[in-house]
Amino acid sequence: MVQTADKIKKIGLLGGTFDPVHNGHLAVAKHVLIALGLDAIWFIPASLPPHKDGHGGGLEISSFAHRAAMLEKAISQNPSYSVSDIEAKRSSPSYSIDTIHILLQQTGPQADLYFIIGADAFLEIVTWKRFLELPTLVNFVVISRPGYPPDKVGEVIRHNFTDYTFDPAHETWSSRHCKGLIILQHMEPVPISSTEIRKKIRRGEDIADLVPQQVKDYIKKQKLYIER
């Protein structure tokens, strides 16, 4: 379960389907935690992700219980990490704006939230529900991705968040009207995807170098992904 924010000031929010969680997800969490001096990372598995092909489009995802259990096992040795079950309590698609409002009600105004997102996803932010409201609530941490140069991120910001200005020394965008920063973070790419992991499992290939051992053991025990 996720921690309360009584004493936590800076909280990173890392959402995703996590089907399954893998070493790439954990590398992003570790990088952001250290680089920005955060107090915690909250992993938020989506229940009904609206941007997945499966929302009315046929891609079956594992149950929330399985995905949350794998996350709990993956982060069990790091006291700075927690798993939030906030999405399991909702019957509607997991829109980020709704999740953030609920989290802010839980954490209170003393918490400073950092929404972690890949550069590829950030370029699609104009398709998100009430996306212009997001920087008024949280900071964005945009993680570099191969093939998605920072100038593309800058174009999205300039065209949509027009009052933001760029500080090249810190690679950070800020606004006089919105509290949220947009922070660019560069890290070595970790070429792992949940899709490829599922394919490897179906082919009977080893995934030991792609996921924590506890996650591999859970997948094997629960016989996940074999028939998908």
Side-chain angles (χ1 to χ4, degrees), residues 69-111:
M70 286 187 283
L71 270 169
E72 292 284 4
K73 291 181 179 300
I75 69 171
S76 61
Q77 302 303 311
N78 194 321
S80 297
Y81 296 166
S82 298
V83 178
S84 170
D85 64 354
I86 185 173
E87 297 290 356
K89 302 171 182 176
R90 296 171 53 190
S91 58
S92 58
S94 303
Y95 292 108
S96 296
I97 187 68
D98 300 325
T99 298
I100 289 168
H101 274 294
I102 296 171
L103 289 172
L104 286 170
Q105 291 173 6
Q106 294 178 354
T107 60
Q110 73 275 22

Side-chain angles (χ1 to χ4, degrees), residues 40 63 73 81 106 113 129-130 132 142 186 193 204 215 218 225 228:
S63 71
K73 291 181 179 300
Y81 296 166
Q106 294 178 354
L113 304 184
K129 178 182 177 182
R130 289 159 51 196
L132 291 174
V142 183
H186 301 280
S193 79
V215 174
Y218 184 91
Y225 311 124
R228 196 182 307 175

Side-chain angles (χ1 to χ4, degrees), residues 3 33-34 59 65 86 94 109 120 128-129 163 173 191 210 224:
Q3 306 171 43
L33 185 79
I34 295 172
L59 176 62
I86 185 173
S94 303
D120 51 341
W128 292 22
K129 178 182 177 182
D163 64 328
W173 295 79
L210 305 177
L224 300 182

Side-chain angles (χ1 to χ4, degrees), residues 53-221:
D53 292 339
H55 184 57
L59 176 62
E60 181 184 355
I61 63 175
S62 300
S63 71
F64 185 93
H66 279 318
R67 292 181 287 118
M70 286 187 283
L71 270 169
E72 292 284 4
K73 291 181 179 300
I75 69 171
S76 61
Q77 302 303 311
N78 194 321
S80 297
Y81 296 166
S82 298
V83 178
S84 170
D85 64 354
I86 185 173
E87 297 290 356
K89 302 171 182 176
R90 296 171 53 190
S91 58
S92 58
S94 303
Y95 292 108
S96 296
I97 187 68
D98 300 325
T99 298
I100 289 168
H101 274 294
I102 296 171
L103 289 172
L104 286 170
Q105 291 173 6
Q106 294 178 354
T107 60
Q110 73 275 22
D112 197 13
L113 304 184
Y114 291 75
F115 191 95
I116 304 166
I117 182 174
D120 51 341
F122 187 82
L123 295 186
E124 301 296 324
I125 198 168
V126 296
T127 67
W128 292 22
K129 178 182 177 182
R130 289 159 51 196
F131 74 96
L132 291 174
E133 186 180 340
L134 290 170
T136 69
L137 304 172
V138 298
N139 305 288
F140 274 100
V141 183
V142 183
I143 306 297
S144 60
R145 289 280 191 270
Y148 298 90
D151 61 331
K152 294 293 185 182
V153 173
E155 286 180 16
V156 171
I157 296 171
R158 285 191 295 272
H159 291 162
N160 297 283
F161 306 105
T162 55
D163 64 328
Y164 271 72
T165 57
F166 185 57
D167 175 3
H170 300 94
E171 293 198 276
T172 299
W173 295 79
S174 61
S175 164
R176 289 176 295 177
H177 307 291
C178 295
K179 78 170 199 174
L181 303 172
I182 303 176
I183 305 165
L184 303 182
Q185 281 292 301
H186 301 280
M187 62 177 290
E188 287 296 319
V190 182
I192 304 175
S193 79
S194 296
T195 300
E196 287 304 314
I197 290 172
R198 296 194 298 268
K199 289 179 179 178
K200 281 179 174 289
I201 293 169
R202 285 198 300 272
R203 296 194 296 260
E205 299 176 11
D206 188 29
I207 60 168
D209 58 338
L210 305 177
V211 301
Q213 183 63 43
Q214 302 96 312
V215 174
K216 178 185 175 183
D217 292 343
Y218 184 91
I219 291 171
K220 182 177 180 180
K221 181 178 179 180

